[in-house]
Amino acid sequence: MRLSPRLRTPLALFSAALIVLLGPPLLSSGSGSATGTHIPGLRLMVPNTPGGGYDITARTAAKSAEDADLSRNIEVFNLPGAGGTVGLSRLVAERGNGKLAMSMGLGVVGAVHTNHAPSTLADTTPIARLTQEPDIVVVAKGSKYRDFDELVADWRDKPGSLPVGGGSSPGGPDHLAPMLMAKAAGIAPKKVNYIPYDGGGELLASVLGGKVAFGVSGVGEYLDQIEAGELRVLAVTSEKRLPGLDAPTLKESGLDVSFTNWRGIVAPPGLTDTERDKLIDLVTKMHASKQWQEAVRRNRWTDAFMTGDEFGRFLTAQDKRVDTVLKELGL
């Protein structure tokens, strides 16, 4: 039946009124829209290979945000290369892109120095530091080294013959930790045979395959393999022993060294205040979620949350610290 013009006008007005009344709740329900945390098309870059610390952190953060109904369909993708500086260059080139962020940490700070990268973290927009965690010294279950003292004794005797694997480029945490260990053990850092891998995932295969005498990486990256008995932890770089790990600290083993890695999120330069604040708000609410807090506990990370300008000042201090340590080690 065809409606007369007189009926069509009231019906159209009624339909428009319904849209006005029903529209706001529909637009604000779920997936972070009610709190303003949803960023359509948000992508989170991982500047190394799958399975490493940046990768685990990024995917855990994205899943926590989605499970907490703060956002949806966050795309996590890997862009490895040069210790994270390939990803950093891509991020800086995306100036003004408020829908892109990058998982990163101390390794990228070091890689900028040792790779003489054209872009630095000073070129980015700091969003948040998320976690801290110590490194661990690990060997495969078939290794002849049953404890850290045995390893250090051989390492002192023939440092160049014991390849050390790390999941970061020179200047990164998995490189700095064994170099500081070597110096404390009386081994010249320049004599250390360090083999860099682009993330803990790549390093794992070499440790399990016996291609390196021992590996140094973040504790959260290898928990599954440790619990399965495939890896043996010989030492931890933290000040105190880690609950659930039967391994001494470096200081207990006679080396006056403690070392902590950290991870966070940065965004491209040139964001508006609104874009920057929205990313910080999303990460802040994600950090407060029960999903993220449980993940921190499960991965044995230490909460180290800071955001915005405070995180920016921290990045500046870390850059100076890495530069100083590299010079002190003669590297």
Side-chain angles (χ1 to χ4, degrees), residues 66-97:
E66 291 175 353
D67 289 350
D69 204 27
L70 297 170
S71 193
R72 62 179 182 271
N73 301 326
I74 300 173
E75 180 190 350
V76 181
F77 68 101
N78 299 78
L79 185 63
T85 56
V86 169
L88 176 61
S89 294
R90 163 73 178 278
L91 187 83
V92 172
E94 293 276 345
R95 184 177 184 83
N97 185 352

Side-chain angles (χ1 to χ4, degrees), residues 45-56 77-81 83-84 87 103 167-168 197-201 221:
M45 184 199 306
V46 178
N48 63 8
T49 54
Y54 299 156
D55 189 68
I56 294 170
F77 68 101
N78 299 78
L79 185 63
S103 173
S168 58
Y197 293 86
D198 204 354
E221 298 177 57

Side-chain angles (χ1 to χ4, degrees), residues 282-294:
L282 170 59
V283 175
T284 299
K285 287 184 170 65
M286 182 280 298
H287 165 261
S289 71
K290 64 180 182 180
Q291 290 85 352
W292 173 257
Q293 294 299 322
E294 169 57 25

Side-chain angles (χ1 to χ4, degrees), residues 114-172:
T114 56
N115 292 332
H116 306 291
S119 298
T120 74
L121 289 165
D123 299 321
T124 68
T125 300
I127 300 301
R129 186 182 72 178
L130 295 175
T131 62
Q132 291 179 335
E133 70 169 347
D135 269 354
I136 52 176
V137 178
V138 294
V139 294
K141 64 180 180 181
S143 170
K144 70 174 184 177
Y145 298 115
R146 310 299 301 180
D147 60 49
F148 189 66
D149 291 340
E150 292 177 359
L151 172 63
V152 172
D154 268 8
W155 202 22
R156 282 193 181 108
D157 189 41
K158 45 186 178 182
S161 299
L162 270 70
V164 183
S168 58
S169 292

Side-chain angles (χ1 to χ4, degrees), residues 150-237:
E150 292 177 359
L151 172 63
V152 172
D154 268 8
W155 202 22
R156 282 193 181 108
D157 189 41
K158 45 186 178 182
S161 299
L162 270 70
V164 183
S168 58
S169 292
D174 300 348
H175 171 252
L176 293 177
M179 293 302 166
L180 291 169
M181 287 161 43
K183 185 179 181 182
I187 302 167
K190 286 187 176 181
K191 290 186 177 180
V192 174
N193 182 11
Y194 178 76
I195 301 177
Y197 293 86
D198 204 354
E202 283 192 1
L203 170 63
L204 177 61
S206 290
V207 175
L208 293 175
K211 293 181 180 179
V212 293
F214 64 98
V216 178
S217 192
V219 60
E221 298 177 57
Y222 292 159
L223 284 175
D224 290 344
Q225 290 77 20
I226 293 166
E227 291 171 358
E230 296 175 1
L231 291 176
R232 185 183 307 126
V233 185
L234 300 185
V236 297
T237 68

